Amino acid sequence: MVGRRLDPTILFPSSQGVTLPQEYECGASPGEGAQALSFPRTCAPAPMPCAGDRDQLSDQHLWDQISDQHLQAKRARVESIIQGISLPPTPQAFSTSLEAAFWQERERGSEVPWESKRKPRVPQQGSGAAKRVAPLGDSPHAEGCQQLKEQLCFLEQQLRRLQEKFSQVCDSADTAQTQGGSKKVHPLPGNPGDRLDKDRATATSDPCKGPEKDEDRGDTGGLPSAARALSQTLKHELAEAMSRVVDSVLQTAWPKAASHFLQQHRRLPVPGPDARREHFAATRCRKPLAKPSPRNTPGTLGSPEAEAPSGAPAKSPGSHAGSFSSKQVRKNSQAPSMCYPLGLAAPIQDSQLLSQLLGYGQHGLWSSGSHGIPSSLERGPLEPLNLHWGTVKLRSSVMRQQQPLSPAGMEGLALLPAGRDGCGELRAAACRLSLTPRQMQEALTPGHLKKAKLMFFFTRYPSSTLLKTYFLDVQFSRCITSQLIKWFSNFREFYYIQVEKSARQALLEGAVDAGSLRVSRDSELFRTLNMHYNKGNDFEVPGRFLEVASLTLQEFFSAVKAGKDADPSWKKPIYKIISKLDSDIPEGFKAVRCSQELLCS
DNA sequence: TGGCCCCCTG
DNA sequence: CAGGGGGCCA
C-alpha cells in the first residue's frame, strides 16, 4: 500500500554531514590569536628571546651568553610565555586567545620538557601530567593540588584578561597603562569587597570603572552609563562564577578526587581505547531514557526496514555501523585525548561559556572530546550540558571533506565515558558548578527552532516529555514547553495544509488511485516541505518521512475524493492516523550542541 | 480542571 | 510564528 522505497543510508546529512574540522582534531586553536599565543604547543622551536631580551643580552659578554645559554633559553621561554599571557591580544585575536591561553596554561602547568610537547600524549592524570609534575609534589595529593592551583590561578588570569578585553573593546581610546595606586570605590551592591568592583585611581570623576589590577586598567569612564553598568554587571557576573567554581571545586570535589589519585595514580594505566570502548558499551547498554514505544503502525510503515533509516535509537554501538562512519567517531573521540589532560573540564567549560558570551563558536575547544564528559555514572542534573562536548559538529557547506556522521554517531560520542578515576568526579563537579542554571537556555533560540523543525521529520506529535529529553539545554518551564508544543502544532498545520493542497491538486489533475500517490524527493510537495523544515537543505530528510507524507497525501486524497471534506471535522481521522506514525528521533538530536551548530549550517 | 489539539487571525 | 478561542479527554 505504501511504497517501501527505503533509504538504507543514514538519515543525517551525508554530503553535508557532521564533520569535525580538521584543524580542531589536533587541538589546534583556530585563529591568529591562537597562534600568537599558543606557540608553546605548536611544533615551533623554543621561543627566541623577544626584542627586549635581545637588548639585554647584547649588554652581556658573549661568553656569558654561551655559558648561560641554557639558563637564558629557559628564561626566554618563561618570559615569552608570560608575555603571551599578559600582553593583550589584538581584538581580532581575542576570539581564540582564551583557548590558546588554556593551552599555554597546560604547558606551563605540566612543566613538560619542551621536546615532549611535540608528541601529544594521551592525557591521563594518573599516568601523564601528574607524574610529570612529580618534582612539584611528593604525594599525588600534592601533585593534584599543584595542578589545581595552577588551574585556578589560570582561571583568574583569564578572568582578568576578559575584563581587560571588555574594557578595551568598550573604550579603545584608553591606552594608558598602570600608574598610580588603586583605590577602592563602591562595590556592586550585594558584593562588598568583591575585588572586581574595586577601581583604579584616575583623574576621572566617575567611580564606576574597571578592575584593580595593572593589566586590567581598562577605562570605562568614557562610556555611557548604560554601557558602564553593563560592563560592571558582566564583570561582576564573571567574578561570581569564578568564585563559585573555585570554591566549589576545592570544597566539594577535591577531597574525593584526591583519594582517587592516591589509590590509582601509580597503578592506573591510561585507559586505552579498549577500556574506553568497554565502558562505552556498558554505558550504552543502560540507555537512560525510556523512550516512548515506537508508534509505528504495523503493516504500513512500521516495518523493520522502515525503522532503520529513521534513526531509531541504537541497540548497540554496532547497530549503527552501517549508518554512519565509525571511523569518524574514533577520530573524533581520540584526537581530543591528545590535547587536554584530564581535570581541565572546568577551563574548557568556562571557555565555552566565554566563547558563547562573546559570540564565538566552541568547536575550537571541541578537542576536549570525551575527556570533557564525565562518566555517565557521574553525570548530574546538568549532564545535558556535558553532552555538548561529546558531540560533533553539524557542518554545512564549508567543511564537508570529511566523512559524515549521523545522529547515531553523535549519540555514541555523547555517551563516551571520561574514565573512571577521580578526575572524572572532579571534572563532573567542576562542570556542574561551572555550568550554572544561568547557562541553561531560558528561552528558545532560532537554533532550537531549526532543530525542532528537523525533528519534525521524525515526529509530528512529540509529547512534552519527549521534547524535554531532546532539548536538554533548555530550562523548561510551562511557557517553554507550550512554546515548543506550539511550534510543532504550527509545523503540523503547515504540513497538513500543504499535503491537503497537494491532494486536491492531484485530484484536479485526474488522479484516481490514492495508492499511486507517492511523495518523492522530486515532488513539489516534498520541495515545499523541505524548504520549510529544512531550509538550506543541510539535512537529509529520512525516507521514513517521505512515507509518512505519502500516506498523509493518500489519506487526504481519499477523503477529499469521497467528499468527506464536507464534514467540519473530516481531518480528524487523518490526524489520528498520522499521529501514530511518529518514529524515534535519533539520539544525536539530544546533543546540546545540535541546536547551536544548526544555526551555523 | 489542565493539557493538548485544531483553527483562525495578525 | 504567536495569541487566543473553542473543543476534546482523562
Side-chain angles (χ1 to χ4, degrees):
Chain A
M1 122 184 212
V2 174
R4 292 271 173 80
R5 199 173 58 81
L6 299 172
D7 183 0
T9 60
I10 62 169
L11 296 172
F12 244 61
S14 55
S15 57
Q16 311 95 330
V18 186
T19 61
L20 181 67
Q22 202 145 23
E23 61 189 296
Y24 302 145
E25 291 185 5
C26 65
S29 304
E32 292 177 16
Q35 287 169 4
L37 285 170
S38 63
F39 58 86
R41 195 179 51 76
T42 68
C43 296
M48 293 296 293
C50 63
D53 295 324
R54 278 197 296 272
D55 288 342
Q56 288 181 345
L57 291 175
S58 67
D59 294 337
Q60 301 177 10
H61 292 296
L62 180 61
W63 289 111
D64 288 338
Q65 291 185 40
I66 295 174
S67 61
D68 288 337
Q69 190 176 19
H70 221 64
L71 198 58
Q72 291 290 343
K74 271 188 178 177
R75 178 177 147 225
R77 180 159 62 90
V78 172
E79 285 177 351
S80 299
I81 293 172
I82 292 173
Q83 276 196 350
I85 289 182
S86 61
L87 285 179
T90 65
Q92 299 91 331
F94 183 51
S95 64
T96 51
S97 62
L98 289 173
E99 303 169 15
F102 282 123
W103 278 110
Q104 281 194 324
E105 184 59 15
R106 285 318 302 162
E107 297 299 327
R108 297 200 307 151
S110 57
E111 287 291 323
V112 183
W114 183 253
E115 293 72 19
S116 70
K117 291 170 190 168
R118 291 168 174 263
K119 28 183 177 179
R121 303 181 49 154
V122 176
Q124 296 291 338
Q125 198 91 348
S127 63
K131 278 184 180 174
R132 292 195 294 269
V133 297
L136 298 178
D138 293 327
S139 68
H141 184 101
E143 294 167 5
C145 211
Q146 173 71 18
Q147 284 196 329
L148 195 62
K149 266 196 292 183
E150 290 167 349
Q151 194 174 317
L152 296 177
C153 173
F154 173 68
L155 284 173
E156 287 181 337
Q157 285 182 348
Q158 290 308 304
L159 176 59
R160 287 196 294 271
R161 288 184 54 206
L162 181 66
Q163 293 165 345
E164 180 187 14
K165 295 315 299 180
F166 186 89
S167 298
Q168 286 185 350
V169 169
C170 289
D171 186 2
S172 57
D174 182 11
T175 54
Q177 290 279 336
T178 76
Q179 279 156 6
S182 300
K183 91 178 169 191
K184 192 172 176 180
V185 197
H186 49 258
L188 284 182
N191 284 274
D194 188 333
R195 64 182 182 86
L196 296 172
D197 299 324
K198 296 174 186 174
D199 200 8
R200 65 182 166 111
T202 65
T204 79
S205 57
D206 189 278
C208 299
K209 284 192 301 283
E212 86 286 20
K213 283 230 167 180
D214 284 354
E215 67 259 32
D216 293 337
R217 298 289 168 81
D219 189 356
T220 58
L223 289 172
S225 59
R228 278 201 306 274
L230 176 61
S231 166
Q232 290 301 309
T233 303
L234 283 175
K235 291 169 184 172
H236 178 68
E237 293 296 334
L238 280 166
E240 267 193 332
M242 189 65 67
S243 299
R244 275 199 305 273
V245 173
V246 170
D247 292 339
S248 304
V249 166
L250 285 174
Q251 292 171 9
T252 307
W254 174 246
K256 197 167 184 181
S259 70
H260 279 276
F261 290 151
L262 280 170
Q263 293 169 9
Q264 302 190 17
H265 88 290
R266 284 200 175 83
R267 59 172 173 84
L268 182 70
V270 175
D274 290 336
R276 208 172 301 164
R277 267 196 296 275
E278 203 177 306
H279 194 134
F280 168 73
T283 306
R284 293 288 303 114
C285 283
R286 43 168 201 80
K287 194 153 82 73
L289 282 164
K291 282 190 63 65
S293 59
R295 286 170 279 184
N296 302 315
T297 304
T300 56
L301 299 170
S303 66
E305 314 100 87
E307 283 288 22
S310 51
K315 279 82 185 172
S316 70
S319 71
H320 279 296
S323 60
F324 70 94
S325 164
S326 57
K327 181 177 159 190
Q328 182 74 19
V329 175
R330 279 195 303 274
K331 204 149 112 188
N332 290 344
S333 59
Q334 285 181 351
S337 65
M338 299 186 292
C339 306
Y340 278 103
L342 292 175
L344 269 197
I348 288 163
Q349 298 286 2
D350 284 352
S351 68
Q352 170 197 359
L353 169 62
L354 293 173
S355 298
Q356 287 175 335
L357 284 173
L358 295 167
Y360 300 108
Q362 313 83 8
H363 30 278
L365 288 172
W366 189 88
S367 53
S368 65
S370 59
H371 293 281
I373 312 167
S375 123
S376 55
L377 292 170
E378 298 158 347
R379 281 192 228 125
L382 285 172
E383 66 149 348
L385 285 152
N386 298 331
L387 292 180
H388 182 110
W389 297 99
T391 58
V392 294
K393 183 170 176 55
L394 279 168
R395 298 296 292 177
S396 58
S397 53
V398 183
M399 302 175 187
R400 287 173 180 164
Q401 320 89 311
Q402 303 190 22
Q403 297 208 30
L405 189 65
S406 74
M410 299 162 69
E411 162 192 5
L413 285 171
L415 294 172
L416 277 174
R420 288 164 288 183
D421 55 33
C423 297
E425 302 215 5
L426 178 59
R427 184 172 45 245
C431 287
R432 286 189 207 105
L433 292 162
S434 60
L435 297 171
T436 64
R438 194 186 300 271
Q439 295 169 43
M440 296 279 283
Q441 301 273 357
E442 292 178 359
L444 294 168
T445 66
H448 292 127
L449 176 61
K450 194 166 183 180
K451 175 177 171 179
K453 284 181 171 179
L454 295 184
M455 287 170 63
F456 184 78
F457 285 128
F458 299 92
T459 175
R460 268 62 57 187
Y461 291 85
S463 67
S464 55
T465 312
L466 181 75
L467 291 173
K468 282 171 186 167
T469 64
Y470 277 90
F471 289 87
L472 294 169
D473 60 335
V474 175
Q475 188 83 53
F476 270 81
S477 63
R478 191 168 298 183
C479 181
I480 293 288
T481 305
S482 52
Q483 188 183 1
L484 268 172
I485 294 282
K486 179 67 177 176
W487 279 0
F488 276 86
S489 177
N490 288 333
F491 299 161
R492 283 192 300 271
E493 191 170 5
F494 181 83
Y495 172 76
Y496 286 130
I497 286 173
Q498 296 304 319
V499 175
E500 180 187 353
K501 193 191 295 180
S502 185
R504 293 186 183 277
Q505 180 74 21
L507 197 61
L508 286 176
E509 289 173 357
V512 274
D513 181 19
S516 67
L517 295 176
R518 289 257 302 275
V519 178
S520 71
R521 295 178 192 272
D522 301 326
S523 63
E524 187 63 30
L525 175 58
F526 175 81
R527 276 199 287 271
T528 305
L529 296 175
N530 191 49
M531 182 62 70
H532 188 73
Y533 305 115
N534 185 25
K535 209 168 286 180
N537 199 35
D538 44 15
F539 180 85
E540 185 173 322
V541 177
R544 164 99 178 150
F545 177 77
L546 295 178
E547 298 177 40
V548 175
S550 297
L551 182 58
T552 313
L553 179 62
Q554 292 161 9
E555 292 292 337
F556 268 98
F557 179 86
S558 301
V560 172
K561 189 183 175 189
K564 290 180 183 174
D565 53 344
D567 182 354
S569 57
W570 67 282
K571 293 178 183 175
K572 291 204 174 196
I574 302 176
Y575 296 156
K576 193 171 183 181
I577 293 172
I578 303 306
S579 70
K580 292 175 181 172
L581 299 181
D582 283 6
S583 48
D584 292 318
I585 306 166
E587 297 281 304
F589 277 98
K590 288 178 180 172
V592 170
R593 186 164 202 153
C594 182
S595 50
Q596 297 166 348
E597 302 298 344
L598 280 171
L599 265 186
C600 309
S601 60

